[in-house]
């Protein structure tokens, strides 16, 4: 349970660190002109890994 | 067929669609994995639970890790949107600061989402009334339940993040796409529900009533779909002219949609009904007047849609802001002095709402009305609002995909 709590808090932290793009619809219509930095890519990867870890922990706890 | 061919040919559009499907897959998987100690028994069919299930993106019914879905995000977005329309000077100023201001607003929406997510999750975990309404049983100590509440809040934040990724790299507006997906995936279950009612009508010897009921529902939904498509497209044009070039150009106009605030008045009306239902359930078991599928509840529900249509439309379309914008861009409304723009727009919005509010009430009410006159329970929770949301999202997706295809065509020419 503690592991689940720690992973959840980490996920909140990492999602909040990743800045939202702002005018979401405008960027969606912006076609191929979205600039993705290396840091953003890394944060997205961390978020997905944490998500999978939470799911794995839930399965273990069951 | 031609559009599908163009989508396959365009790498960018194809990748965006595939990305959206991938995100929906992650969302689906996350919504199926239930927390330890939590089991979904039978999901309730009250106004409150139906509404929550729509706003979460259909995740609440299965009560998985992403059970809260986009619901906290919607609540916080509505709150900040209202605050940035003059209610709070801070947010009003932020909303006028372009991309940077929008980024700050988005970040604040996230903070509020965490707050609302935590409130909802704690209510679910510690309120027996709530769990019985949702049809779930939760086992565990107080500490465990507190951790589950945090996990559910994280799930809603992760859903919000998924929505943002669709905004950035996929097609459509992220949270709307997730909600539409929730509605869409519930349709087969709704059809099965109606089918499963047949044995009940057979036992009581009222097969013909069943068939008339099903026919009535099919006609009602066809009408809702037709009205939703028409109403979503309908807009009124207020002609505007340049001060430097007084020639009337047809393309210069200020558009006001028939459903200026889309489904927002229905969402407000349903929220109020839901909250009344939840609040009343703590004191009495008779909450039928807060259910829109009872005659009294239905009348209250339609009345609330009217009230919120007028309130939200006049807040949403600010005459003062339009007046300011026209002055800054040296434009004016044909035949109207720039000092009278604000009152002119307000009158226009009210006049349009005279038509928009009944249309919205009709869309929201038709299917419920038909269910009210059909004897027996068809077990439907797919309301006119769901159909309206679904059609709105599908239309938006079509516009965006066509826009991207056209854009690529120009790129090829360059």
């Amino acid at each position: 349970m503690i592991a689940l709590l720690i992973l959840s808090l980490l996920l909140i932290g990492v999602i909040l660190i990743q800045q939202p793009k702002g005018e979401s619809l405008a960027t969606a219509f912006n076609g191929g002109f979205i600039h993705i930095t290396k840091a953003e890519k890394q944060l997205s990867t961390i978020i997905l890994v944490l998500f999978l870890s939470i799911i794995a922990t839930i399965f273990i706890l069951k | 067929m031609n559009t599908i061919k163009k989508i396959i040919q365009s790498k960018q559009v194809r990748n965006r669609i595939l990305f959206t499907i991938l995100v929906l897959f992650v969302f689906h998987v996350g919504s199926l994995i239930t927390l330890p100690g939590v089991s979904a028994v039978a999901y309730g069919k009250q106004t409150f639970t139906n509404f929550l299930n729509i706003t979460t993106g259909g995740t609440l019914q299965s009560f998985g890790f992403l059970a809260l879905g986009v619901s906290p995000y919607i609540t916080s977005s509505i709150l900040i949107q209202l605050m940035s329309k003059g209610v709070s000077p801070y947010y009003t100023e932020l909303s006028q600061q372009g991309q940077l201001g929008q980024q700050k607003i988005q970040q604040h929406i996230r903070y509020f989402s965490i707050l609302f997510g935590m409130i909802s999750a704690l209510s679910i975990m510690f309120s027996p009334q709530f769990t019985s309404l949702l049809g779930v049983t939760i086992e565990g100590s107080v500490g465990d339940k507190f951790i589950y509440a945090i996990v559910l809040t994280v799930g809603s934040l992760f859903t919000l993040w998924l929505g943002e990724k669709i905004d950035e790299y996929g097609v459509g507006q992220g949270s709307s796409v997730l909600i539409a997906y929730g509605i869409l995936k519930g349709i087969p279950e709704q059809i099965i529900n109606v089918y499963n009612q047949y044995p009940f009508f057979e036992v009581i010897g009222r097969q013909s009533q069943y068939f008339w009921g099903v026919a009535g529902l099919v006609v009602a939904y066809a009408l809702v779909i037709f009205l939703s498509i028409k109403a979503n497209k309908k807009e009124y044009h207020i002609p505007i002219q340049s001060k430097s070039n007084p020639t009337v150009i047809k393309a210069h106009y200020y558009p006001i949609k028939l459903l200026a605030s889309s489904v927002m008045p229905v969402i407000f009306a349903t929220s109020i009904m839901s909250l009344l239902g939840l609040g009343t359930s703590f004191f009495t078991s008779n909450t039928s007047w807060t259910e829109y599928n009872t005659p009294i509840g239905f009348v209250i529900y339609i009345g609330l849609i009217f009230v919120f249509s007028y309130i939200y439309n006049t807040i949403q379309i600010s005459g003062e802001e339009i007046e300011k914008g026209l002055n800054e861009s040296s434009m004016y409304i044909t035949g109207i002095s720039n000092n009278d723009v604000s009152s002119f727009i307000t009158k226009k919005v009210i006049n349009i709402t005279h038509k928009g509010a009944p249309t919205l009430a009709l869309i929201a009410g038709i299917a419920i009305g038909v269910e009210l006159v059909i004897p027996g329970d068809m077990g439907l929770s797919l309301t006119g609002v769901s159909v309206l949301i679904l059609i709105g999202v599908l239309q938006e997706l079509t516009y965006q995909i066509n826009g991207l295809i056209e854009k690529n065509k120009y790129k090829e020419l360059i």
Side-chain angles (χ1 to χ4, degrees), chain B residues 163-204:
Chain B
E164 283 176 4
K165 294 301 126 187
I166 293 181
D167 285 340
E168 290 162 20
Y169 314 116
V171 280
Q173 207 274 330
S175 51
S176 312
V177 171
L178 294 176
I179 291 175
Y181 172 72
I183 296 168
L184 209 58
K185 78 173 182 193
I187 291 176
E189 192 192 329
Q190 299 293 314
I191 295 169
I192 293 167
N193 264 351
V194 173
Y195 177 77
N196 285 343
Q197 296 300 315
Y198 182 70
F200 165 75
F201 285 87
E202 202 175 22
V203 167
I204 58 170

Side-chain angles (χ1 to χ4, degrees), chain B residues 101-270:
Chain B
Q102 287 300 325
Q103 268 183 0
K104 266 194 175 172
I105 286 180
Q106 282 293 325
Q107 193 70 330
H108 285 208
I109 288 176
R110 284 171 164 196
Y111 297 144
F112 277 105
S113 297
I114 295 175
L115 178 73
F116 289 126
M118 201 60 199
I119 293 171
S120 312
L122 286 173
S123 313
I124 293 170
M125 288 297 149
F126 294 103
S127 160
Q129 283 96 340
F130 216 147
T131 44
S132 106
L133 270 174
L134 296 176
V136 286
T137 54
I138 301 159
E139 289 162 13
S141 65
V142 173
D144 288 349
K145 286 185 179 177
F146 193 75
I147 292 175
Y148 293 155
I150 292 175
V151 175
L152 285 179
T153 310
V154 174
S156 79
L157 193 64
F158 181 74
T159 313
L160 163 59
W161 182 79
L162 287 178
E164 283 176 4
K165 294 301 126 187
I166 293 181
D167 285 340
E168 290 162 20
Y169 314 116
V171 280
Q173 207 274 330
S175 51
S176 312
V177 171
L178 294 176
I179 291 175
Y181 172 72
I183 296 168
L184 209 58
K185 78 173 182 193
I187 291 176
E189 192 192 329
Q190 299 293 314
I191 295 169
I192 293 167
N193 264 351
V194 173
Y195 177 77
N196 285 343
Q197 296 300 315
Y198 182 70
F200 165 75
F201 285 87
E202 202 175 22
V203 167
I204 58 170
R206 292 185 174 175
Q207 292 95 322
S208 62
Q209 265 184 357
Y210 174 82
F211 290 117
W212 279 114
V214 173
L217 282 175
V218 170
V219 173
Y221 279 112
L223 194 61
V224 167
I225 292 170
F226 173 77
L227 273 175
S228 300
I229 294 172
K230 286 277 171 199
N232 263 325
K233 277 186 180 170
K234 179 78 183 166
E235 58 180 28
Y236 296 88
H237 295 170
I238 299 172
I240 51 174
Q241 282 172 262
S242 168
K243 280 178 184 168
S244 54
N245 179 16
T247 322
V248 178
I249 302 168
K250 217 181 170 185
H252 285 176
Y253 58 82
Y254 186 85
I256 300 178
K257 290 187 86 171
L258 174 68
L259 304 180
S261 356
S262 188
V263 287
M264 288 314 291
V266 187
I267 289 188
F268 275 119
T270 324

